[in-house]
Amino acid sequence: MTKLDFIYQRHSVRKFKDQPVAAEHLQEMIKAATYAPSGKNLQNWHFVVVTNKEKIAAIANLVMAKNEKLAGYIKDDAKAKALRAMVHYHTVFKAAPVLVLVYAGPYPTVADDLLAAGVMPVNEALEYARPNPAVQNIAAALENLQLAAANLGYGTCWMTGPTYAAQEISEYIGFTKAGYFLAAMSPLGVPDEGKWAYPPRKPVEEILTIIE
Ligand SMILES: Cc1cc2nc3c(=O)[nH]c(=O)nc-3n(C[C@H](O)[C@H](O)[C@H](O)COP(=O)(O)O)c2cc1C
């Protein structure tokens, strides 16, 4: 046991027991998500929690259909095949008891003002948008949610793969909040696995630079 066990307990879970998630735990996890930092404390996140098995399976079907549609557009056969092969990885939530959809709302940056001013080429102005605080905010919230879930005995899996079906999913669930887009999602449930292996991490020396 170390003080950081709450970090190391989280890992991606893609198989779940047929058990519900307690409503009070769900509330706690969403609350924990909202305690993430956000630029200007804008809290530009919105969580849509789907607890209906048929609806979760229907969302997986929308992802499969969109995968096939997009693969059909790709002329390079190898690349189209690769996209089709990813569909399993994009629908791992299909049998989970809960699916959390994480929406990101607008976060104004200086790039918006520079684009409006038209004083520099669009590409140059867009450089100022690269840190993308709108998405960083929801990422911080989703990480909090995942850490809370792991510590309450639940498994999650951060997913952006299926967001290519964002429009279809949002229409299906009827979620319309001006300026919000589906940035990520996560299944949630009791893990159905004995033990897990962490995918290897790059050594700290490789990803750390200390300037003294
Ligand atoms: C931005 C992001 C997108 C991801 N998208 C998917 C996905 O679409 N499907 C999936 O099965 N896992 C997805 N993952 C999970 C990663 O594969 C996983 O986090 C990584 O392999 C490390 O494993 P761990 O989470 O068990 O530590 C995603 C993770 C992140 C952070």
Side-chain angles (χ1 to χ4, degrees):
M1 282 289 270
T2 77
K3 281 190 173 173
L4 295 184
D5 276 354
F6 74 99
I7 299 280
Y8 299 117
Q9 266 170 28
R10 186 218 60 83
H11 63 285
S12 291
V13 173
R14 299 181 175 87
K15 222 174 146 225
F16 301 89
K17 290 197 168 134
D18 191 13
Q19 285 177 20
V21 176
E24 64 271 24
H25 284 165
L26 208 46
Q27 295 286 336
E28 266 187 78
M29 287 180 244
I30 299 296
K31 183 178 172 193
T34 69
Y35 273 69
S38 68
K40 298 179 201 152
N41 196 23
L42 214 63
Q43 303 171 56
N44 58 309
W45 43 60
H46 195 108
F47 302 90
V48 177
V49 178
V50 187
T51 60
N52 176 301
K53 274 182 169 188
E54 283 75 36
K55 288 184 181 164
I56 292 172
I59 291 171
N61 285 338
L62 290 173
V63 174
M64 282 190 271
K66 191 65 181 278
N67 177 285
E68 186 51 42
K69 184 174 178 183
L70 296 183
Y73 292 148
I74 297 173
K75 298 212 163 44
D76 180 321
D77 282 350
K79 287 190 175 149
K81 199 174 160 202
L83 179 57
R84 287 190 177 101
M86 289 299 283
V87 77
H88 168 73
Y89 189 64
H90 297 162
T91 52
V92 296
F93 60 84
K94 65 175 180 252
V98 173
L99 178 64
V100 182
L101 303 171
V102 189
Y103 282 82
Y107 185 98
T109 69
V110 68
D112 303 317
D113 301 335
L114 293 170
L115 283 169
V119 289
M120 57 178 70
V122 169
N123 280 353
E124 195 182 327
L126 286 177
E127 275 296 303
Y128 294 90
R130 279 185 81 179
N132 201 335
V135 170
Q136 288 198 38
N137 293 343
I138 73 100
L142 182 51
E143 178 69 0
N144 265 20
L145 188 151
Q146 296 202 316
L147 294 175
N151 280 272
L152 290 168
Y154 297 105
T156 54
C157 182
W158 196 307
M159 300 182 75
T160 56
T163 58
Y164 50 65
Q167 200 185 332
E168 291 80 358
I169 294 169
S170 300
E171 275 169 22
Y172 174 70
I173 59 169
F175 182 75
T176 49
K177 190 164 173 175
Y180 279 67
F181 66 96
L182 182 62
M185 61 178 79
S186 176
L188 172 67
V190 177
D192 187 12
E193 53 186 13
K195 53 181 181 172
W196 68 87
Y198 284 100
R201 264 38 183 185
K202 293 177 182 173
V204 170
E205 310 79 78
E206 195 184 320
I207 51 90
L208 172 68
T209 302
I210 295 179
I211 314 278
E212 290 180 328

